Amino acid sequence: MFIHAGISVVKLFISTSRLEPMLIHSASQLLTLAGGPQRGKALGSLGVIPNGAVVIRDEKIVAVGTTEELRNAYPDEPTLDAGHCVLMPGFVDPHTHIIWAGDRANEFEKKMAGTPYLDILAAGGGILSTVRATRTASIETLMAETRPRLLRMFRNGTTTAETKTGYGLQTATELRLLKALLALNDESPMDLVITFLGAHAIAPEYKDNPQGYTDEVANTMLPMLKGWWETHAPRLPLPFVDVFCETKAFTLEQSRQILTQAGSLGFPLKIHADEFDNLGGASLAAELKAASADHLVVTSDADIEALGKSDTVAVALPCTPFGLAESHYTPAKKLLEADAMLAIATDCNPGTSWNESMQFAIALACRYMKLTPAQAIAAATINSAHAIRRAATVGSIEVGKQADMLILSVNDYRQVGYRYGTNLVKQVIKRGQVYSVDVGYYRTA
Ligand code: NIG
Ligand code: FE
């Protein structure tokens, strides 16, 4: 148990004392999402089992079927009644910047008054103002500020999340962020999948020499990171390496330099591309076999075609244009027509999208990317698991997978996306352990 400022974090996560093994039965709809990542127009196959049931043992799923089948096959198993509600995989949030210090409410006010995001960044604000706050924060402060965000994610049904560094932009602070994320991963029931985003912006020390900072990331930070990781997290796979390929951040060539170096050191890759300007980052991601290309708001037809022919997942972040009050969203239909794999994430960060809920991301994806609830749910589970290369263990309810699932407070999956600004999760099951989100408003069946 981790104690900070006298508060027990385990208590914060409100675990019940439910013990395995366990038969969860009487789900109105069990959404299995079975069959692997869903490409192009195949998106939206939920694999629904009416009156569904699941058996969990040793943190894993050992049987999936109807309530009748599994009650007969496992007559002595302790039970948990899903109460004729939806049982589905935990959400996988494949793009967050969850660790930072401070806030940017003042900049929100400026943006709403008409100052563009990239102008605020160019004037030394935006990402750079969070960098200043983060550099001066201790690891304890960073963890204390991040913990409630993780708790909100978990309560809203995220059981696995990608989490990026990137508010350090100097070795010492980037390492502090990595250490904090590893410690948060240890203490939280959620699984955190870490990404190194030293190339989130040009560090202020290199304001007039962006190539100098690019060289620093590629030639100094990445080799250092490799050795550091092997010492500090030897049992975890290497982190992803990501670059913000954008006007006023890293050019296409600088992005290529950093990602090529990262790839040659064995790191899996990601890219932020086409959030504001189309520089060709999505095609670069496909060429370098990156796990994902994220944002993709102003992506060209050629880039969309390249993604459609690749195994690089297109990660849409609909909370970001919403957060910036912009009207353009990721062109989901075009991506699906081109046979791309589409996922959804929150992009939780202090500048463009302070939102921890995948349910809200789904609600926006339905309205502004014109996805059906079934497509958005698949994009937020099995496809988002593939965007962080974890689809073999999470993202669906299949025998052998980790027992990460949600019992919702509704009996029809279409309520997800239809309703928003409220939490439809009643219970979170993480590695077979049941956590109750119920605070008395819903009656557990
Ligand atoms: O994904 N685009 C770059 N990174 C974040 C924004 C980070 C910030 O403004 O602090 C994003 O939108
Ligand atoms: Fe981002």
Side-chain angles (χ1 to χ4, degrees):
M1 183 187 305
F2 186 91
I3 306 286
H4 180 74
I7 297 166
S8 152
V9 171
V10 170
K11 271 200 195 126
L12 260 182
F13 282 109
I14 50 173
S15 157
T16 67
S17 56
R18 185 87 223 185
L19 292 174
E20 310 167 272
M22 176 170 59
L23 163 66
I24 307 178
H25 64 86
S26 305
S28 56
Q29 299 169 333
L30 166 60
L31 316 185
T32 64
L33 279 299
Q38 301 177 9
R39 188 176 270 286
K41 290 184 184 153
L43 184 69
S45 167
L46 298 182
V48 181
I49 301 179
N51 196 14
V54 175
V55 176
I56 299 171
R57 281 184 184 163
D58 298 325
E59 305 185 1
K60 296 246 168 74
I61 296 162
V62 297
V64 179
T66 65
T67 296
E68 196 186 1
E69 283 163 2
L70 297 199
R71 270 192 188 283
N72 289 336
Y74 296 85
D76 302 322
E77 218 75 0
T79 57
L80 175 66
D81 190 343
H84 305 290
C85 289
V86 172
L87 177 61
M88 63 171 289
F91 293 118
V92 177
D93 188 342
H95 184 137
T96 82
H97 305 251
I98 205 71
I99 188 151
W100 75 82
D103 70 70
R104 308 224 297 268
N106 59 335
E107 290 183 5
F108 174 67
E109 187 176 52
K110 274 192 200 142
K111 278 181 293 201
M112 292 309 105
T115 314
Y117 176 81
L118 287 181
D119 288 2
I120 293 176
L121 177 62
I127 294 172
L128 297 177
S129 77
T130 300
V131 166
R132 283 189 290 277
T134 302
R135 284 182 175 185
T136 52
S138 65
I139 188 163
E140 290 77 17
T141 301
L142 287 163
M143 289 177 69
E145 291 197 21
T146 302
R147 235 173 241 129
R149 297 193 273 269
L150 291 173
L151 179 61
R152 280 191 288 273
M153 291 172 87
F154 190 66
R155 279 190 166 140
N156 278 282
T158 297
T159 46
T160 300
E162 186 260 13
T163 54
K164 302 176 197 294
T165 69
Y167 292 114
L169 309 184
Q170 61 183 188
T171 301
T173 312
E174 288 291 315
L175 288 182
R176 194 172 338 123
L177 294 173
L178 286 171
K179 268 189 207 153
L181 288 172
L182 288 170
L184 288 165
N185 183 43
D186 282 347
E187 71 175 43
S188 160
M190 280 168 62
D191 286 308
L192 306 185
V193 173
I194 298 174
T195 292
F196 176 74
L197 182 56
H200 194 190
I202 303 298
E205 294 76 11
Y206 289 88
K207 189 172 177 293
D208 301 318
N209 179 17
Q211 187 53 42
Y213 186 60
T214 305
D215 294 340
E216 163 89 11
V217 173
N219 305 335
T220 308
M221 288 190 186
L222 290 179
M224 176 280 305
L225 173 65
K226 178 96 190 270
W228 187 92
W229 192 270
E230 283 163 1
T231 311
H232 290 81
R235 275 182 292 278
L236 292 178
L238 280 175
F240 288 92
V241 169
D242 193 349
V243 177
F244 187 19
C245 177
E246 187 61 63
T247 308
K248 297 176 189 165
F250 295 84
T251 65
L252 185 66
E253 275 320 301
Q254 289 165 342
S255 303
R256 176 186 289 282
Q257 182 187 340
I258 290 167
L259 292 177
T260 304
Q261 167 75 332
S264 70
L265 289 166
F267 293 105
L269 310 177
K270 286 183 168 284
I271 196 165
H272 280 66
D274 307 332
E275 182 176 0
F276 302 103
D277 291 321
N278 177 247
L279 304 188
S283 291
L284 176 67
E287 180 195 327
L288 298 180
K289 300 190 184 341
S292 73
D294 303 34
H295 283 289
L296 308 177
V297 176
V298 292
T299 308
S300 71
D301 289 348
D303 288 326
I304 289 175
E305 201 185 317
L307 286 173
K309 292 193 178 123
S310 76
D311 194 31
T312 299
V313 178
V315 178
L317 310 170
C319 305
T320 306
F322 179 83
L324 292 168
E326 283 175 5
S327 51
H328 292 293
Y329 286 74
T330 302
K333 282 252 167 333
K334 277 186 164 182
L335 282 159
L336 297 181
E337 269 157 24
D339 214 25
M341 257 176 301
L342 183 70
I344 301 172
T346 61
D347 194 20
C348 187
N349 77 75
T352 61
S353 170
W354 191 335
N355 163 58
E356 292 93 347
S357 169
M358 286 293 280
Q359 294 172 69
F360 186 59
I362 286 172
L364 295 178
C366 289
R367 284 162 186 77
Y368 297 113
M369 293 161 48
K370 303 286 182 259
L371 297 186
T372 63
Q375 289 177 319
I377 289 170
T381 52
I382 187 64
N383 278 17
S384 50
H386 191 50
I388 53 171
R389 296 301 189 248
R390 295 295 188 279
T393 49
V394 298
S396 64
I397 297 182
E398 292 177 274
V399 170
K401 279 200 164 179
Q402 213 165 278
D404 291 3
M405 49 193 103
L406 310 174
I407 299 177
L408 305 185
S409 59
V410 293
N411 60 18
D412 181 336
Y413 72 81
R414 293 170 300 185
Q415 298 266 351
V416 181
Y418 166 51
R419 292 167 62 178
Y420 55 90
T422 189
N423 186 5
L424 300 181
V425 173
K426 186 163 65 168
Q427 280 160 306
V428 181
I429 297 138
K430 179 63 190 174
R431 292 180 186 262
Q433 177 85 31
V434 182
Y435 298 81
S436 182
V437 178
D438 196 327
V439 285
Y441 297 104
Y442 308 119
R443 184 187 298 264
T444 353

